Amino acid sequence: MSKKIGILTGGGDAPGLNQVIRAAVFYGVKNFGYEFVAIEDGWKGLLEGKSRPLTVDEVRDWIYEGGTLIGSSRTNPFKHEDGGKICRENFEKMGLDAIIALGGEDTLGVAYKLYKEYEIPTVGAPKTIDNDLPGTDQCFGFDTAINRVMEAFDRLRTTARSHHRILVVEVMGRHAGWMTLVGGIAGGADIILLPEEPFDLDGVAEQLKKLREQGRQYALVAVSEGAKLKFAEGMDIITQDAELDEFGHVRLGGIAKVLAKELQKRTDWEARHVVLGHLQRGGAPTAFDRWFATQLGVAAVEQIAKDNYGVMVVLKEGKIVPVSLEEAAKGIRTVPEELVEFKKIFEP
Ligand code: F6P
């Protein structure tokens, strides 16, 4: 039976999105004669009924493209009046049989709710550079992002070493420290500060002094944008502004600047800071992410061919398998205690 499938990408873009779409269109058109449309700008496109056709010819060269070529947004239909109902109506108006949603916990949480409450047949795939989605061993986009972090450390090391400075590097990842941990270890950071382990400035300053006593003339500090700083009056994360998006997220950022200033004061060692920001998620995906995303695109269409909805295709113990979308709605997957301990092997 022929089917018309809508594909959308939600939340922050991540390398690998275009490769999932490309694989889904190739496989769906060639093997099943399915028709595809792009639902533009994530759930916003479904709310507003905005779509355009996607053909094999159009997606053929998308293998090296970064970001998402069908647009993204942080729109949450359930924050709009009658949002769920409007999505259902537009799903019908577009003549769709299923939706493939590519996103993190927010986008896939919506996919689950639309499936459960509005009977929209959805299939998801786990995207986020933060790598914090439960139900999968890894998210696509993460491999590319940690390579960007590692490359940044390789460059920053030479300048930090030349000037005998501390360089504090702020890494994305919101409330999970995966990018900081793996990128920091791969980049040889001396100190790695994660949201999973609140820290105090004096403790970090002591570690740096110890490193200097050991003869080291420069230091690299990796800090998660969401790392929690212990102050006398409690604990805090540092944010750019107080505004929340439609999923209730605050914009993080600024911790590296505070840290560099405070550590310089406490150690009398010149410090600079760098915020890697969106450089971490822009640009073309790594070979692994292209391969991973391609497998996910094919697997998503396979679920649709089997009429198996309300699932996301994920990586589990080396295999691509479907799991319930309910998994995605279970909050975030943070760095486990044993890996928080693991990083200490390399700290002063
Ligand atoms: O969730 C992905 C992510 O890149 C986070 O690591 C980061 O905090 C956030 O998105 C940044 O969002 P924006 O693109 O809205 O600045």
Side-chain angles (χ1 to χ4, degrees):
M1 191 190 95
S2 183
K3 288 178 181 165
K4 188 171 173 187
I5 300 166
I7 306 188
L8 64 83
T9 58
D13 66 296
L17 285 165
N18 298 315
Q19 291 67 28
V20 180
I21 300 169
R22 176 181 180 269
V25 173
F26 258 81
Y27 185 59
V29 171
K30 287 188 163 182
N31 284 56
F32 303 104
Y34 290 167
E35 195 186 331
F36 287 85
V37 295
I39 300 172
E40 292 171 331
D41 302 332
W43 294 118
K44 186 169 183 271
L46 191 60
L47 267 182
E48 295 174 0
K50 268 173 55 193
S51 68
R52 63 178 164 90
L54 277 177
T55 61
V56 168
D57 273 352
E58 187 184 350
V59 302
R60 195 180 300 278
D61 287 341
W62 286 18
I63 195 65
Y64 65 89
E65 299 282 4
T68 167
L69 289 165
I70 64 171
S72 188
S73 68
R74 295 196 190 274
T75 299
N76 179 356
F78 295 102
K79 288 281 172 195
H80 296 249
E81 208 182 326
D82 289 331
K85 197 167 146 261
I86 296 168
C87 284
R88 176 74 221 185
E89 283 164 8
N90 285 338
F91 175 80
E92 282 165 24
K93 273 191 209 152
M94 288 175 185
L96 297 177
D97 295 290
I99 289 177
I100 297 177
L102 311 180
E105 101 256 24
D106 299 331
T107 306
L108 298 184
V110 171
Y112 179 59
K113 217 166 162 195
L114 288 174
Y115 168 72
K116 280 294 265 191
E117 295 174 16
Y118 294 87
E119 291 174 11
I120 297 182
T122 52
V123 173
K127 165 243 62 164
T128 168
I129 60 165
D130 302 350
N131 203 35
D132 60 356
L133 199 76
T136 185
D137 291 347
Q138 193 166 324
C139 299
F140 68 86
F142 176 63
D143 184 67
T144 308
I146 54 174
N147 273 285
R148 303 259 194 283
V149 176
M150 178 193 74
E151 287 157 13
F153 271 104
D154 288 351
R155 293 193 175 100
L156 293 168
R157 175 182 303 279
T158 64
T159 174
R161 190 172 54 200
S162 305
H163 292 271
H164 316 302
R165 284 173 175 156
I166 300 171
L167 250 168
V168 182
V169 185
E170 185 172 308
V171 180
M172 275 184 170
R174 281 215 176 114
H175 308 294
W178 290 106
M179 284 177 65
T180 314
L181 173 73
V182 184
I185 294 278
D190 300 299
I191 295 174
I192 297 178
L193 304 169
L194 309 174
E196 289 82 355
E197 188 190 40
F199 66 93
D200 70 278
L201 288 164
D202 290 334
V204 178
E206 283 313 308
Q207 279 184 298
L208 286 167
K209 285 184 201 160
K210 199 165 149 199
L211 186 69
R212 194 167 45 184
E213 277 158 26
Q214 288 163 3
R216 184 65 173 278
Q217 294 190 359
Y218 71 99
L220 297 173
V221 178
V223 61
S224 281
E225 59 178 359
K228 297 183 189 85
L229 198 50
K230 285 189 213 160
F231 287 114
E233 45 317 340
M235 210 179 292
D236 212 353
I237 48 170
I238 295 179
T239 59
Q240 292 193 45
D241 50 48
E243 233 175 87
L244 301 181
D245 69 14
E246 289 191 359
F247 289 96
H249 300 299
V250 69
R251 275 183 69 208
L252 296 168
I255 194 164
K257 189 174 176 189
V258 174
L259 221 58
K261 190 169 156 239
E262 293 299 323
L263 292 174
Q264 176 167 317
K265 234 195 293 174
R266 285 169 167 77
T267 58
D268 201 20
W269 196 352
E270 192 182 28
R272 293 283 190 274
H273 78 279
V274 174
V275 180
L276 298 183
H278 295 86
L279 285 171
Q280 293 160 102
R281 64 180 211 222
T286 54
F288 175 82
D289 269 337
R290 295 181 198 198
W291 164 238
F292 182 22
T294 297
Q295 288 178 289
L296 291 174
V298 169
V301 172
E302 258 164 8
Q303 300 314 309
I304 292 175
K306 290 180 187 158
D307 287 320
N308 187 25
Y309 300 115
V311 295
M312 59 173 177
V313 286
V314 300
L315 183 68
K316 275 264 167 208
E317 292 166 8
K319 289 206 173 74
I320 307 289
V321 292
V323 298
S324 168
L325 266 173
E326 199 177 358
E327 290 288 318
K330 283 187 179 159
I332 62 163
R333 186 176 66 100
T334 51
V335 173
E337 180 123 21
E338 64 268 22
L339 287 180
V340 174
E341 286 307 308
F342 179 87
K343 77 179 172 64
K344 293 184 183 155
I345 299 171
F346 307 98
E347 291 183 348

